[in-house]
Amino acid sequence: MTNTGEEEAPALPGRRVVIKGFGIAAGGLAAGAAGSAAVVTGLPAETPASAMAIPSAGYWRPARGHVDVTWSVDTSQKLVALTFDDGPMPNWTPMVHDILDTEKVKATFFMVGERLLANARLVHGRMARHEAGNHTWQHKDLSLLTHDQAYRQLHRAHAAIKQITGKEARRLRPPFGQLGGTTLSAAGQLGYDVTIWSIKMLEKTYEKNPPQLVDYIVNNTRPGTIVLAHDTGKPDRLVALKNLVPMIRGLRAKGFEFVTVSELIEAAARPEPAKRP
């Protein structure tokens, strides 16, 4: 599928697109690569369109000139970021929020726009301490989409997140952790950075032995770790959510502080405090 150039992206003021008007129910938002009248050519015939990192044969650059991809951060500070993908969904998401509220823990929720729109009541008033991230509109594998298709998935979810949570998403987690050229170019057009993870809940592995899952997370978390969990999915994922409390308390006992992904990255960029002699 090629870019016809019939759709143009809105202008990108500053770091982030300012989205005016929700328009989700109307069937989508205008999208596409600015100046994309001509598609990049000269690629091998077997190369999928989703591999293209440059969506236009003309001049093109992402909003900030670059897209950062983060798995973890390099720091000696005992900071860790909990992240939850795929929600919000009934039962699961409220359970996670209840635990985080009780334990006074910050987290980053990578939200699916379509699910957020359908379940807005689940997060109403519950996101104050947390960060909202973009996990696309329909949880589609961005690495299989054209630039325009990937852009629409991010743009619609961005609008939903802003409208419902009041927060402007700054970070994208591509579904399944799949990266492609068009994933990066669409993220770049919206001024997003990409967040992957450095350790994930191995729910299926430890479904029958929850204490070992707790030990796995607590013993393998390092300063700067980004932890992947989910607030919806197959029943085996509940083994992680039902054992969040011992994980949180185990990490705190080792001196870890819980921060959002953005706070983790910002802390790593600052000079670390001098050690006392």
Side-chain angles (χ1 to χ4, degrees), residues 2-22:
T2 58
N3 186 336
T4 65
E6 294 176 354
E7 295 176 310
E8 291 188 358
L12 300 175
R15 188 184 188 282
R16 188 75 59 296
V17 170
V18 176
I19 299 174
K20 296 185 178 179
F22 204 24

Side-chain angles (χ1 to χ4, degrees), residues 195-207:
T195 301
I196 312 296
W197 60 84
S198 45
I199 191 171
K200 64 184 291 187
M201 302 287 184
L202 299 178
E203 300 99 340
K204 191 170 291 297
T205 300
Y206 297 111
E207 184 177 10

Side-chain angles (χ1 to χ4, degrees), residues 53-111:
I54 306 297
S56 172
Y59 178 80
W60 185 88
R61 71 186 297 275
R64 295 179 294 125
H66 64 92
V67 174
D68 295 334
V69 182
T70 301
W71 286 263
S72 64
V73 303
D74 186 15
T75 180
S76 63
Q77 299 178 71
K78 285 193 168 182
L79 301 175
V80 57
L82 278 179
T83 67
F84 297 90
D85 286 12
D86 297 357
M89 290 292 280
N91 301 322
W92 297 60
T93 303
M95 181 200 326
V96 173
H97 276 289
D98 287 346
I99 293 169
L100 299 180
D101 287 348
T102 299
E103 298 297 318
K104 295 181 172 57
V105 167
K106 295 178 181 180
T108 301
F109 288 85
F110 287 97
M111 299 178 171

Side-chain angles (χ1 to χ4, degrees), residues 86-235:
D86 297 357
M89 290 292 280
N91 301 322
W92 297 60
T93 303
M95 181 200 326
V96 173
H97 276 289
D98 287 346
I99 293 169
L100 299 180
D101 287 348
T102 299
E103 298 297 318
K104 295 181 172 57
V105 167
K106 295 178 181 180
T108 301
F109 288 85
F110 287 97
M111 299 178 171
V112 176
E114 194 173 52
R115 294 172 183 170
L116 177 60
L117 184 62
N119 298 294
R121 60 184 174 78
L122 299 180
V123 300
H124 180 69
R126 308 209 71 172
M127 289 292 295
R129 74 161 63 86
H130 305 303
E131 180 174 16
N134 193 326
H135 203 42
T136 76
W137 175 248
Q138 294 171 308
H139 201 265
K140 288 193 174 182
D141 185 345
L142 297 176
S143 70
L144 302 178
L145 305 183
T146 65
H147 173 90
D148 285 353
Q149 291 168 336
Y151 179 90
R152 291 188 191 98
Q153 284 287 318
L154 303 189
H155 194 274
R156 293 187 75 184
H158 185 100
I161 292 165
K162 175 70 173 177
Q163 176 74 13
I164 292 167
T165 72
K167 294 174 178 281
E168 187 122 20
R170 298 171 56 194
R171 306 192 182 279
L172 162 69
R173 174 167 286 159
F176 317 106
Q178 296 276 64
L179 287 174
T182 55
T183 305
L184 298 177
S185 63
Q189 189 174 343
L190 282 163
Y192 274 89
D193 286 327
V194 175
T195 301
I196 312 296
W197 60 84
S198 45
I199 191 171
K200 64 184 291 187
M201 302 287 184
L202 299 178
E203 300 99 340
K204 191 170 291 297
T205 300
Y206 297 111
E207 184 177 10
K208 305 300 183 184
N209 197 335
Q212 283 195 3
L213 176 58
V214 174
D215 289 344
Y216 170 74
I217 295 297
V218 172
N219 293 334
N220 288 284
T221 294
R222 303 287 183 267
T225 290
I226 298 173
V227 183
L228 169 64
H230 296 83
D231 57 338
T232 189
K234 295 181 179 179

